[in-house]
Amino acid sequence: QISMSNEVGDLQKPQVIDDEAGSPVVPSSENIATSNEESEREKVPPIESAKRMFSKFGSNANKFSSSANASLKDSFRKIQEGVEKHVDASASVIKNLKENKNKVEHVYCETEDEALQVIQEWIEKAKSDTPHDKRPQKWNFATTPLGCFDKTLDDVFLSFCRWAKEYDSKRINVTKAYDRLTSYATWMDKTNRDMIDPPLTVASIEKSWKSWGMKVSHDKAGHLVWWLDLSQIDSTELKKIPPDESLRLFVWFSHFLMFDPKAQESGCVFVQNTGKIPFWNGMTQLVPPRLAQKVQSLTIGVIPVRMKQIYVCESPKWTQILLGIMKPFLSQTVKERIVFIENPKVLEDILGLDCIPSNFVGTDGKMEKDVVSSTYSVEL
């Protein structure tokens, strides 16, 4: 999942979801956990709550026959380990963010130029405060794909400043921007040469992009919309893509999002059609646990992207169970941004026909060529 800030976005949550008959209904407890369930869960520490839920969900795994289901048990064990690592990492990130928020007196600027200057000064100070032979290479931003997007380091810094702009006053929380920029620099530095050998270019991610079948558009309100229809992914072809190549794709795409002017100004909307895919296909074939863990570590507290709404279409029950696992770590605002939709056709009214891909399931979308393909004049 792309990372979400805790501010309240300007995109309002739809108040109705169409049922099978097409009539408006209020989201029910079948789709979203009831307040009673959430209050009970809050009595248990978040980490333990999440792990208990996952353990309960997978309790039948221990009953599998070792001869007939050894590979299935091994797959489940890997998934469980991946989820627990993600839970622990998420808790650590959130704890650090809260501690920093309480300890640090935040610095604000009125303009982007002022904020940019402050960030540049802080980076130079961070460099000078460290002996040259021990100076972290992260501040060189050697693995950031600037050339691919025809951008400069100032463009990178400005994307963090715009992400940290307050909704009401429009002031820029420079401390917040710098903290996230530091996390970003650290994450990118840990990729070593994976993002520069070979260089991250459109040509280098073309095959992965086509295999994932992602699309990008801008809706009628000016948000960038990221479309992912899992029902149309060829899992056989996707298996041929090494996980490292898929990771390179998501790193490239994350930079596409953070450099997009409309995404910077109005934020992003994510629309995913899960296509009722079975649990094991979704967890082990489409997104290997190790790849999911790396992508999540990039999108939690690293990339400067404001996710305003997440629409999940045709979702099987197991996706809602996994969401329940992560709910202890989500703010109320974030929880409200995740909406399950049984009838994708309601997206036509919410986002607009012109921004919906022509082949997106259950809709009469009119978009033939998405923003990425149009930007780079290629059939991605």
Side-chain angles (χ1 to χ4, degrees):
Q1 302 288 334
I2 295 296
S3 178
M4 307 175 195
S5 62
N6 289 331
E7 294 87 346
V8 177
D10 56 7
L11 180 63
Q12 297 297 315
K13 177 186 174 182
Q15 298 302 308
V16 299
I17 300 178
D18 279 8
D19 61 10
E20 293 180 358
S23 57
V25 294
V26 177
S28 67
S29 58
E30 294 181 359
N31 292 334
I32 301 176
T34 65
S35 58
N36 289 335
E37 290 174 339
E38 291 181 353
S39 62
E40 288 298 321
R41 190 179 300 126
E42 288 172 357
K43 296 179 183 178
V44 182
I47 293 179
E48 292 305 316
S49 174
K51 289 182 177 179
R52 285 183 192 179
M53 290 180 67
F54 191 85
S55 177
K56 182 178 180 181
F57 176 67
S59 60
N60 289 332
N62 294 325
K63 301 176 183 179
F64 293 152
S65 165
S66 58
S67 59
N69 297 286
S71 62
L72 194 60
K73 285 184 64 177
D74 185 60
S75 295
F76 187 89
R77 179 183 58 78
K78 291 179 180 179
I79 294 171
Q80 185 170 11
E81 290 175 355
V83 170
E84 290 183 350
K85 287 181 180 179
H86 173 63
V87 167
D88 291 337
S90 300
S92 176
V93 168
I94 293 172
K95 180 181 178 182
N96 291 336
L97 289 174
K98 288 182 178 179
E99 289 178 350
N100 290 338
K101 183 177 181 180
N102 295 331
K103 292 180 180 179
V104 178
E105 183 177 350
H106 288 218
V107 174
Y108 294 85
C109 288
E110 298 296 331
T111 68
E112 291 182 358
D113 288 341
E114 292 172 350
L116 177 60
Q117 183 177 350
V118 172
I119 283 184
Q120 291 171 335
E121 291 174 355
W122 286 356
I123 291 176
E124 290 304 316
K125 186 176 186 303
K127 291 180 179 179
S128 62
D129 287 348
T130 308
H132 191 276
D133 59 337
K134 297 181 180 180
R135 189 167 298 169
Q137 295 298 310
K138 67 182 183 182
W139 295 120
N140 295 333
F141 295 94
T143 57
T144 298
L146 298 175
C148 180
F149 297 95
D150 194 25
K151 299 295 182 181
T152 66
L153 277 181
D154 283 353
D155 292 316
V156 174
F157 303 156
L158 282 171
S159 69
F160 285 85
C161 292
R162 290 162 184 161
W163 168 81
K165 186 177 294 185
E166 293 186 334
Y167 291 100
D168 297 330
S169 66
K170 300 301 181 184
R171 296 185 308 168
I172 298 171
N173 187 331
V174 187
T175 305
K176 182 178 178 180
Y178 180 76
D179 286 346
R180 179 153 292 206
L181 175 63
T182 301
S183 298
Y184 165 84
T186 301
W187 195 96
M188 290 299 297
D189 183 58
K190 289 181 179 179
T191 63
N192 297 315
R193 300 192 61 84
D194 292 346
M195 301 300 148
I196 58 178
D197 189 13
L200 202 54
T201 64
V202 174
S204 70
I205 58 92
E206 182 176 358
K207 185 176 180 180
S208 298
W209 178 270
K210 290 180 177 179
S211 296
W212 279 94
M214 297 188 292
K215 301 292 182 183
V216 178
S217 63
H218 295 115
D219 69 8
K220 59 185 180 182
H223 305 95
L224 181 144
V225 186
W226 170 18
W227 301 87
L228 179 60
D229 190 347
L230 299 183
S231 69
Q232 297 190 30
I233 291 180
D234 187 338
S235 59
T236 302
E237 288 299 316
L238 192 59
K239 286 180 181 179
K240 298 178 183 178
I241 305 295
D244 288 346
E245 288 301 311
S246 287
L247 179 61
R248 280 169 56 88
L249 165 65
F250 283 104
V251 171
W252 179 90
F253 185 58
S254 295
H255 286 83
F256 180 88
L257 293 178
M258 61 186 269
F259 288 137
D260 183 84
K262 291 189 177 182
Q264 291 178 348
E265 179 67 25
S266 303
C268 302
V269 173
F270 177 49
V271 184
Q272 174 179 292
N273 176 53
T274 56
K276 303 291 185 182
I277 58 176
F279 175 78
W280 296 111
N281 289 353
M283 295 299 292
T284 63
Q285 296 183 22
L286 293 181
V287 186
R290 182 174 296 181
L291 172 62
Q293 184 181 351
K294 289 183 177 180
V295 173
Q296 288 164 350
S297 69
L298 169 66
T299 58
I300 296 178
V302 174
I303 292 298
V305 173
R306 297 196 303 268
M307 190 63 66
K308 297 299 187 70
Q309 202 81 57
I310 298 175
Y311 296 107
V312 184
C313 307
E314 296 188 333
S315 61
K317 287 294 183 183
W318 64 265
T319 60
Q320 297 174 36
I321 292 174
L322 288 185
L323 175 61
I325 291 174
M326 300 313 301
K327 273 195 172 184
F329 306 101
L330 303 179
S331 69
Q332 186 60 36
T333 301
V334 171
K335 293 175 187 177
E336 291 175 354
R337 292 177 184 170
I338 303 175
V339 180
F340 291 93
I341 296 178
E342 284 301 318
N343 184 1
K345 200 166 183 63
V346 300
L347 295 172
E348 297 176 2
D349 293 329
I350 298 171
L351 304 175
L353 272 173
D354 292 338
C355 81
I356 301 177
S358 58
N359 62 345
F360 194 80
V361 66
T363 68
D364 296 317
K366 295 182 177 180
M367 184 182 70
E368 296 292 341
K369 194 170 186 178
D370 82 325
V371 172
V372 174
S373 297
S374 299
T375 300
Y376 296 100
S377 301
V378 293
E379 290 298 330
L380 284 181

